[in-house]
């Protein structure tokens, strides 16, 4: 499991508590983040967590390990760093996965309307690399409301049925969004990635 964006290290702590045999690599560009997590968020160092203090893109470029899951949770304010959202970055993510691996990306966006531009451009970008890309609402906000959206890209060709024996997981899977993802926006690339422009609309009424 690879997490890009450690933040307060709340997710690594929770993940390892739930999965006693699992391990996780965490890439966090700010070395002070882990100090803050230790002091204020009750994070305790664990031998199952390997922390790398570097940019997520440079890590993906040099890494030779294969992961079952990559979770993208890196933010600068509301924005995902532009070097992590482009076609070239997504290709690197897929290269870092096992053959049936999964990328999950936490995105702050509306699902539809004027405030969904970044999400729809990013969805189109992922679809250039993965055959399967799905969107899940985190809460019950309206489709035009700014919210956390989980984008899930699957490397394998087996189509999931999104049903789990675990009731908690079922509650998450039930939030699969089935609205339109069509857009005339361009694919994001290293040469064209207007993330700040798209995201600026989220805070402007």
């Amino acid at each position: 499991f690879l997490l890009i964006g450690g933040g307060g290290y709340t997710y690594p702590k929770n993940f390892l508590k739930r999965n006693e045999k699992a391990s996780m690599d965490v890439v966090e560009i700010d070395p002070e983040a882990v100090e803050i997590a230790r002091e204020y968020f009750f994070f305790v160092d664990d031998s199952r967590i390997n922390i790398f203090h570097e940019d997520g893109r440079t890590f993906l470029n040099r890494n030779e390990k294969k992961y079952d899951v990559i979770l993208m949770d890196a933010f600068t304010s509301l924005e995902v760093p532009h070097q992590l959202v482009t076609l070239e970055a997504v290709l690197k993510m897929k290269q870092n996965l096992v053959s049936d691996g999964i990328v999950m990306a936490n995105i702050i966006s509306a699902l539809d309307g004027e405030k969904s531009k970044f999400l729809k451009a990013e969805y189109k970008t992922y679809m250039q690399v993965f055959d399967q890309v799905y969107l899940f609402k985190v809460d019950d906000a309206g489709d035009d409301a700014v919210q956390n959206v989980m984008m899930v890209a699957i490397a394998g060709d087996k189509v999931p049925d999104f049903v789990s024996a675990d009731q908690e997981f079922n509650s998450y899977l039930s939030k699969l969004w089935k609205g339109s993802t069509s857009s005339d926006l361009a694919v994001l690339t290293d040469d064209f990635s207007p993330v700040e422009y798209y995201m600026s609309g989220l805070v402007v009424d």
Side-chain angles (χ1 to χ4, degrees), residues 5-74:
Y9 287 80
T10 302
Y11 183 76
K13 182 173 64 176
N14 181 268
F15 177 81
L16 294 180
K17 182 179 179 180
R18 288 170 172 253
N19 302 275
E20 295 181 355
K21 296 182 179 180
S23 62
M24 176 182 289
D25 291 344
V26 180
V27 180
E28 169 56 57
I29 195 170
D30 185 359
E32 293 185 5
V34 69
E35 299 298 333
I36 294 171
R38 290 179 183 126
E39 185 172 355
Y40 296 104
F41 297 100
F42 309 104
F43 175 71
V44 178
D45 292 294
D46 190 307
S47 61
R48 294 179 296 157
I49 299 179
N50 302 306
I51 299 174
F52 302 87
H53 294 304
E54 65 180 291
D55 179 83
R57 178 72 176 272
T58 61
F59 178 88
L60 291 169
N61 288 345
R62 69 169 180 78
N63 174 61
E64 297 181 355
K65 185 176 179 179
K66 298 290 185 180
Y67 294 96
D68 297 311
V69 179
I70 298 175
L71 173 56
M72 302 295 298
D73 197 30

